[in-house]
Amino acid sequence: MSDVDLELDCRDQPCPMPVIELARHVGDVPVGALIAVVAHDPAARVDVPAWCRMRGQEWIGSDSAADGAPRHVVRRLV
């Protein structure tokens, strides 16, 4: 997956904090930019795409951060 413009380290945060952090920081990147949420929380795999559908953002997919932690990537559309 391509490089992201902002990566949020939510590795040690329980549900629902990774999605809350995404909501807090999506405005920190310009429209069209990629923001990633790195989280060990298993619910983030479902929560991040659901948040994108509800908030009009584009779910790009999941991959892994450099240390192997799950990383969920979103493109800011609005």
Side-chain angles (χ1 to χ4, degrees), residues 2 7 11 14 17 19 23 40-41 45 49 60 64 73 77:
S2 61
E7 186 169 282
R11 285 172 178 84
M17 290 308 299
V19 170
H40 289 294
D41 168 30
R45 183 176 61 98
I60 299 297
S64 296
V73 183
L77 297 181

Side-chain angles (χ1 to χ4, degrees), residues 3-41:
D3 289 333
V4 299
D5 298 284
L6 177 62
E7 186 169 282
L8 303 175
D9 182 0
C10 300
R11 285 172 178 84
D12 298 325
Q13 297 180 1
C15 182
M17 290 308 299
V19 170
I20 291 171
E21 286 299 305
L22 174 59
R24 284 183 58 217
H25 291 284
V26 71
D28 294 349
V29 298
V31 171
L34 296 178
I35 184 169
V37 179
V38 180
H40 289 294
D41 168 30

